[in-house]
Structures are given as structure tokens and as C-alpha cells.
Amino acid sequence: MENKAFDQFGSHLFDDRTMRERLPMDVYDKMRQIRDEGRAWDPQVADVVAEAMMQWAIELGATHYTHWFSPMTGIGSGKHDSFIDSVKNGEPITRFSGKMLTKGESDASSFPSGGLRATFEARGYTAWDPTSPAFVLGTTLYIPTAFCAYTGEALDQKTPVLRSMQALNRQALRVLRALGDDETVSVQPTVGAEQEYFLVEKELFDKRLDLKVTGHTLLGAKPPKGQELEDHYYGSISERVRAFMRELDDELWRLGVPAKTEHNEVAPAQYELANVFTTANIACDHNQITMELMRKVALRHGFACLLHEKPFAGVNGSGKHNNWSIVTNTGKNLLNPTDHPERNLTFLVFLCAVLTAVDKYGDLLRLSASCPGNEERLGGNEAPPSIISVFLGNALTDLLDEMAKGHEWHRDKREELLADLKSLPQLRRDDSDRNRTSPFAFTGNKFEFRMVGASQSIGLANTVTNAIVADVLRDFADRLEGAVDAEAAVRAIVADTWREHGRIVFNGNNYSEEWHAEALRRGLPDIRGMVDAAESYIRPENIAMFERMHVFSEAECRSRYEITLETYSKNIHIDASTMLELVGRHILPASYDYLGRVSRAEFYAEKNGFASASAKAAVEKLCVSVDVAAGATEALRRALAALDSRSLTEKERAEACRALAHGEMRALREAADSLEMQVPQAYWPIPDYSALLFDL
């Protein structure tokens, strides 16, 4: 049975299928080896691939190409160059050489560099990533690339991911060889990202300065209904939203992005899209493409797509669940416990490597999920708290505990569910439940890192995960390579891991006060915000690990520390400035206008002898509320001006901005939200939460 939508899958992707059709077999084989086996780059293939790629792209309507990369802004970037090289006899001559394919240049000083680049040191390079297929979007051929400075330091999200994948492959192969596996050629981390987002009416979006400038609401009183009834999750999708999802699927599938699952999320106007697993670097590209197309396709349907982590107060925020596993070139999932995990030495080693890594470097995982929007999201409404822990489920927890004690482990019998209904299929209970409050949860054959923010690139989260696991595998490989009895060595690794790092496992309610107290007793760090998390970049033990794994140099770590603090400060500053303009030029003038009208009416009523006590009280309350909002506005204005006048380090500026957000900005929001509840909707100058969340 034919389906045109599925037939179009990958039609705009220069993938394996296209390369087999258009490249000489020897060139195709070299490309496959580079991609699948980690072979070194072969410059001899570049010209052949470039010519084939250009002809293919032109046939699809492409007129330009771009070296597409992910700088530290987290947004896909690239300049667009035409294929036209010259004009002869009035006819355009196209050219696209191997050099043009493999290397590009960009102004590196105009992107965040954390001091690595200054304005007078502008040169940066983009290098083609042949492991991630090029694609045609609109009239442009997109070539996935890495981005580095003239001096070679990485200035992007992709380069560290590729380095970390290389490190993980190297150390994983050492472990497999020590366990007797001589057939596996390569090991790669695979990732499937779940992207949450909100849709709001574009017409309403345009009337909210805060949404247009910052991507989230800086003001907004609680609506009469939020998510209390839990009736939006998995609910019926409206026809307009379904049409948006349908077109988004079509766009993504043409680019070979395997968008699979889509549904209503918990909050009103919130939705989710999940992609099928692929290798980590391609998954990072897929997620960037997904976010870009979500915004573009939403506009065609009269929506604005919000990817901020907390666009609305009082309802769930949006995250990005990073599902991570490790797979060999033969398709074997090294985190699959199989029916007898107690005998699966490979699984036990890799599971222990993850537990050890998360315990040793939990601060880096917390850092990788740090962005300004996550400040308000983490710790409630199904977003995990800031304390990093691992959910294993009772079965695996019991397995490791018994093995560490030297006992035999026996799997509990899995019960049948709904066995009393004979007409239904027989369902057996899984070994473990799901824990939606856990930051890092084992979910059958993968780990789900639930902390990443919706607007973030998943590059850093996967760079960190790959690097820290590779570092632990390095130690395990040293032990296994020198072991006489591999099984005994694995059991010793399990015992040591459980004794030294079992504290990281917690299967209960991560929101409970008891867990926070227990985590403190266990010595697990509680890194509350982005400013504190940034320190993890420059801790000596973390720098040493990154350098051992050849993922970040010390200079790259320190630059990212500066960028993280600078990003936080700039976002808070923009939020504060937007709030001042929104209140000063819209909210307060409208409130003064309404106050003037009701005051005149009250004065007239009192003068003519029919004033009521309740009306007078309402006017007096409104007067007070307007004064409070005006005072809070002036307090924020003075605080922001004082901050701007001071000479501060990036750390001091970030701390000052954090104090501003928790102090003057919060006070102004409370005052404005209180005022909103007293001013009639006809006078309120911006759309309220009820309209934004329910007018789809």
C-alpha cells in the first residue's frame, strides 16, 4: 500500500540512499566508513561528493548553499552563498568544489566566545561534518558543519559532541575487547529527543511585548482554569493544531527527521513532538531543525510557537527529554539488560559506568541543563528538581545490591495485569515503574535525562554524558585489561560501584522534602541556578576530565564559563528592560485611564448622594494598587540603572542580575498581576492568560 507522505521521507536529504545512487562505489564506501566506522577523513572524496551534492540540490530547486552550524547562542546559523560562480555570455556558471564543501569562513568575533575571540581577531572556520547528511530546505542546501576559531578552539555545540563521541567509542571498544568482543568495529551514543512547546494565536502574541521580545510572559494573573482538571494531556487535538502537526511532519520527513510521536501535553496550549533515535550528532542536528521548522510552520497556521521553558506562570513549563543509549555498529544496545541481566557482563559494566559517571560529575549534568528559562521550571510540575539522582527501578536496584553482597539474584515474577478481563491481551508488569520526577531515569534500555530546557540545544547535555561515561569506561578498561578472570573483575566493578556510588540511586519522589534532606545527608549537591552551575566548567577535576577525553581544553572550559554567566545576565537585563517598557508604556497608562474614569464616577455619585461604600472601597483599593505598581516600576528602573553604572566581573554581574530577578522584578510582577485583577478586560492593554492559553 502506497502512502505519498512516507514516500517523501528523506527526499530532500543527501543520505545513504542518495549517495549510493549518485556517487562512484569507491567514494561511497569511503563516505560510509567515515560515517559508520570512524575512519579518518579522506580529502580525495571531497570534489566528487561536492559535484554530486550540488547537482542533486539544484534538481530540488536549490540556488544557494550554507555551512550550517550551532554557535554558543544555541540557534542554527549560517550565511547563504549562491552556486553561481561567474557569468559567461549572459549565462550563469555554477560551481561547487570540494574546498567549498569542506571549509567555510565566518566572523567568529560576532558570536559568543567567552574571550577566545576579540573584534580584531575575527576569523573563524566551518568544517563539513560528513557523518551528518546535508539537506535542502527551501532554496538552500544546508551542510552541517563544526565551527572553530582561527586558533582551533571550538566555538559551537557540535565540535564537542563529535569529540565526546570519539572518546566514548575509544573507551567502549577497549571494554568490549577486554570482555572478549573482537567483532564490534564502533560504538556510538544514540539519542532521541522529546521536544515540548506551546502554541498561541499569532494575533495575541503580537499584542504582547514580552512574548515578542523575550519569548515568555513577564506579567500575567492566574486564569480561572489552568491544568487542574488534567484534561489537556493526551486529549483530542484541535483541527487547526492537527493541521500544523501534519505540515510539520511533512516538512521534517522530507529532511529525513524521523518525527514519530506527537500529542497534547499537560498544560493548556502545550504539545510535544518526539523523534526516533539516531546517533548523537545527527540527533542534535535533528532537534535544531525541528525547533526552526516549528517556528516557521506555526506562522503559516496563524500560531506563534513558544520554546521558552516557562512561558506562563502557574502551569507546566517545557523541557526536552534527552533519551540516551549506547549502540554498536551491529545494532547491539549495550544498555539492554536482556532477560538475564545478572549474566550480562557487558550490560553490568556499562550500567555501572553510567552510575559512577553521574555520581562523580553530577554537577556537569546540572550545568548542561542550565539556561535562564529553566530557573523557573525545575523542581515542580513534572520537571525534576536541581538535585541530580538516578532512577533505576526496584529490579535493577535489587540486582546491584545483591551482587555487591555476593548473593545470587532472582528476578521477581512479573504479574499479569487486567487478568480478570479475559477478552483483553495479557499484559505483564514491567520490571520497574516510571518516575517522572527523576532527573536521570533508566527506562528499559536507555537513560532519560529530563532536565534539559525546551529552548536549549541538546549538544552540551550529550557532550557531557558521553564524556563522563567515557572517562569512567577508561578506568574500567584499565581494570578489565589486566584481569585474569573477566567475570570476577566485572563482579568486583559492580561491588565497588554500588559501595562508592550507590548513593546516586533514588527511586522515590524527588519532590518530597524528605528526599532533599536525604540527598543532603548523602552528600549530593543541590545546585539551584544557572549562576552557581556555571562554576562546574572551571572546577579543576572537571577541566582535567575534559582534557583527558580531549573534549574541551582548559581555555574552552573557561570561555564557556564566561559565556554562561554573560548569557544569564543579558537575558535578565532584557527581561527587566522589557518589563519596564511594558508596564511604563502600557499597563500604567491604561490603569491611570481607568482609575480616572471610576474616580470621576465615584466623585459624581458622592456629590449627588448615591455613593456606595463598596464602590468607594474599590476605588481606594485601585488607587493603592496603582501606586504600588508605579512604585515597583520606579524601584526596578533605579536598580537596573545602578547595575548598569557599576564596573563588575561577569560573575558579579550575574549575581546582581539574579538578585534583581528575585527582588525588584518579582515585586513588580506581583504588583502588576494584582492590578490586572482589578482593571476590567476592556481597559487592560494586553491579552490575558485565559485568551493566550485557551483561544486556539
Side-chain angles (χ1 to χ4, degrees):
M1 182 180 296
E2 293 186 2
N3 186 307
K4 291 183 179 180
F6 292 150
D7 290 343
Q8 288 295 307
F9 186 88
S11 62
H12 285 51
L13 187 71
F14 198 76
D15 59 1
D16 195 83
R17 177 179 52 186
T18 306
M19 288 195 295
R20 283 199 307 269
E21 293 174 355
R22 293 178 175 265
L23 297 178
M25 187 54 65
D26 61 328
V27 174
Y28 165 73
D29 283 339
K30 288 180 180 179
M31 289 293 295
R32 183 191 56 77
Q33 290 167 358
I34 292 168
R35 182 193 64 203
D36 298 340
E37 300 175 13
R39 298 286 182 90
W41 166 246
D42 184 349
Q44 301 302 316
V45 307
D47 283 330
V48 179
V49 174
E51 179 64 24
M53 191 181 287
M54 181 185 69
Q55 294 301 327
W56 166 81
I58 289 175
E59 290 172 18
L60 291 173
T63 56
H64 291 69
Y65 69 92
T66 182
H67 275 205
W68 183 63
F69 59 98
S70 298
M72 299 302 291
T73 58
I75 300 172
S77 302
K79 60 186 174 88
H80 295 233
D81 288 305
S82 168
F83 286 122
I84 295 177
D85 181 62
S86 60
V87 178
K88 186 175 183 180
N89 299 325
E91 293 291 329
I93 306 299
T94 59
R95 186 173 75 92
F96 188 56
S97 66
K99 182 178 180 181
M100 296 161 72
L101 168 64
T102 56
K103 179 185 175 184
E105 289 194 25
S106 177
D107 180 356
S109 65
S110 295
F111 292 102
S113 70
L116 291 177
R117 297 273 83 191
T119 304
F120 73 97
E121 301 171 314
R123 193 185 299 275
Y125 299 111
T126 51
W128 174 38
D129 174 14
T131 66
S132 184
F135 56 92
V136 172
L137 181 59
T139 59
T140 302
L141 169 66
Y142 282 69
I143 303 161
T145 59
F147 178 46
C148 68
Y150 179 73
T151 49
E153 288 100 350
L155 296 177
D156 65 342
Q157 302 279 4
K158 167 163 279 193
T159 302
V161 173
L162 293 172
R163 290 172 179 170
S164 69
M165 291 173 65
Q166 190 169 272
L168 185 64
N169 177 60
R170 185 184 305 115
Q171 303 305 329
L173 285 176
R174 287 183 61 203
V175 169
L176 293 177
R177 295 289 183 266
L179 293 176
D181 180 348
D182 295 322
E183 297 180 358
T184 298
V185 174
S186 65
V187 175
Q188 293 182 321
T190 61
V191 172
E194 303 172 32
Q195 177 73 54
E196 295 175 340
Y197 61 99
F198 281 81
L199 293 177
V200 298
E201 290 284 3
K202 180 64 165 57
E203 183 180 355
L204 299 178
F205 173 90
D206 287 337
K207 294 177 180 178
R208 297 253 343 190
L209 180 68
D210 49 1
L211 283 179
K212 289 196 294 183
V213 175
T214 72
H216 65 121
T217 57
L218 297 168
L219 311 171
K222 184 179 178 182
K225 177 180 182 292
Q227 62 190 55
E228 298 88 348
L229 297 180
E230 301 173 332
D231 54 347
H232 191 257
Y233 189 54
Y234 277 23
S236 176
I237 302 173
S238 75
E239 287 301 314
R240 284 183 63 202
V241 174
R242 190 70 194 93
F244 156 78
M245 290 180 172
R246 176 72 270 171
E247 184 177 348
L248 180 61
D249 281 345
D250 290 343
E251 291 272 12
L252 291 171
W253 290 350
R254 274 198 292 271
L255 302 182
V257 180
K260 181 176 177 62
T261 303
E262 50 205 15
H263 58 82
N264 288 2
E265 255 299 336
V266 173
Q270 187 185 32
Y271 307 91
E272 180 180 296
L273 183 148
N275 290 334
V276 177
F277 276 69
T278 186
T279 53
N281 65 314
I282 296 178
C284 291
D285 287 348
H286 282 177
N287 188 247
Q288 288 292 149
I289 296 168
T290 298
M291 290 193 291
E292 184 174 330
L293 283 176
M294 278 179 169
R295 294 188 182 100
K296 290 181 178 179
V297 174
L299 293 176
R300 298 175 200 159
H301 292 262
F303 298 132
C305 177
L306 307 181
L307 294 174
H308 192 275
E309 287 72 25
K310 197 71 172 178
F312 302 102
V315 297
N316 276 16
S318 294
K320 181 148 35 192
H321 303 163
N322 192 81
N323 295 282
W324 179 91
S325 194
I326 320 174
V327 178
T328 69
N329 62 294
T330 60
K332 180 181 179 181
N333 185 337
L334 300 178
L335 289 176
N336 180 7
T338 66
D339 290 335
H340 296 283
E342 74 280 10
R343 303 177 201 165
N344 189 337
L345 302 184
T346 300
F347 167 73
L348 290 171
V349 170
F350 281 87
L351 177 66
C352 287
V354 174
L355 295 181
T356 302
V358 175
D359 188 32
K360 287 180 66 176
Y361 301 110
D363 61 327
L364 286 175
L365 281 172
R366 174 66 183 87
L367 167 67
S368 74
S370 295
C371 65
N374 248 0
E375 298 283 287
E376 301 299 326
R377 168 181 167 261
L378 295 179
N381 301 114
E382 298 185 1
S386 52
I387 301 171
I388 297 288
S389 64
V390 174
F391 170 82
L392 278 185
N394 294 333
L396 287 180
T397 301
D398 186 53
L399 165 64
L400 296 180
D401 187 51
E402 291 297 306
M403 288 188 68
K405 295 174 180 176
H407 301 163
E408 290 296 319
W409 177 75
H410 301 284
R411 185 196 298 270
D412 291 338
K413 184 179 179 181
R414 290 185 284 181
E415 300 175 11
E416 289 185 3
L417 304 176
L418 304 176
D420 55 325
L421 294 172
K422 301 304 181 185
S423 60
L424 297 183
Q426 290 187 356
L427 303 180
R428 290 192 179 276
R429 191 192 307 274
D430 285 306
D431 281 334
S432 65
D433 203 345
R434 286 189 181 272
N435 190 328
R436 298 178 67 82
T437 68
S438 176
F440 209 83
F442 187 74
T443 55
N445 59 4
K446 60 183 172 27
F447 281 93
E448 182 182 26
F449 186 32
R450 298 178 57 86
M451 294 182 78
V452 184
S455 68
Q456 289 185 274
S457 162
I458 57 173
L460 183 57
N462 286 290
T463 294
V464 167
T465 305
N466 297 340
I468 62 178
V469 172
D471 188 62
V472 175
L473 288 174
R474 171 179 171 270
D475 294 336
F476 286 1
D478 288 343
R479 293 178 64 173
L480 292 168
E481 286 170 347
V484 177
D485 185 336
E487 183 175 349
V490 171
R491 290 185 174 276
I493 286 173
V494 171
D496 291 344
T497 298
W498 192 246
R499 182 178 63 255
E500 297 170 13
H501 303 289
R503 66 174 188 165
I504 201 67
V505 175
F506 178 68
N507 296 328
N509 179 10
N510 292 69
Y511 291 164
S512 68
E513 294 182 7
E514 292 79 8
W515 163 236
H516 284 251
E518 171 65 13
L520 181 64
R521 188 189 65 78
R522 294 187 187 188
L524 299 179
D526 183 6
I527 304 172
R528 294 295 177 92
M530 186 174 177
V531 177
D532 296 326
E535 297 291 326
S536 301
Y537 266 130
I538 57 174
R539 290 202 176 99
E541 61 272 27
N542 292 339
I543 292 175
M545 181 277 296
F546 280 133
E547 291 194 321
R548 276 197 304 274
M549 294 298 103
H550 304 287
V551 171
F552 287 130
S553 66
E554 180 172 352
E556 289 169 333
C557 286
R558 294 193 178 280
S559 72
R560 280 160 173 74
Y561 167 72
E562 296 290 331
I563 290 170
T564 301
L565 295 175
E566 183 181 348
T567 298
Y568 179 81
S569 298
K570 287 181 176 179
N571 273 272
I572 298 301
H573 196 286
I574 291 170
D575 284 358
S577 300
T578 304
M579 182 179 277
L580 285 173
E581 181 170 346
L582 183 60
V583 175
R585 297 184 63 187
H586 300 273
I587 303 300
L588 284 178
S591 301
Y592 290 141
D593 181 40
Y594 176 66
L595 178 59
R597 289 172 181 265
V598 297
S599 296
R600 287 193 295 272
E602 174 59 25
F603 175 78
Y604 178 81
E606 186 172 354
K607 183 178 179 180
N608 289 278
F610 53 84
S612 70
S614 61
K616 185 176 181 179
V619 172
E620 291 176 350
K621 180 181 178 183
L622 181 60
C623 282
V624 171
S625 296
V626 171
D627 284 345
V628 170
T633 302
E634 185 57 30
L636 177 57
R637 194 185 310 279
R638 289 197 303 268
L640 192 61
L643 191 156
D644 289 341
S645 67
R646 297 164 62 192
S647 178
L648 302 170
T649 65
E650 284 298 345
K651 177 66 179 297
E652 290 169 340
R653 184 169 299 279
E655 289 175 338
C657 285
R658 177 171 58 185
L660 190 75
H662 293 171
E664 289 85 357
M665 290 176 66
R666 183 171 294 174
L668 179 52
R669 171 157 197 162
E670 290 174 357
D673 291 355
S674 174
L675 193 57
E676 181 181 347
M677 300 306 294
Q678 299 172 59
V679 176
Q681 189 177 41
Y683 287 88
W684 197 248
I686 59 176
D688 60 18
Y689 269 26
S690 292
L692 290 167
L693 291 170
F694 296 102
D695 276 13
L696 286 186

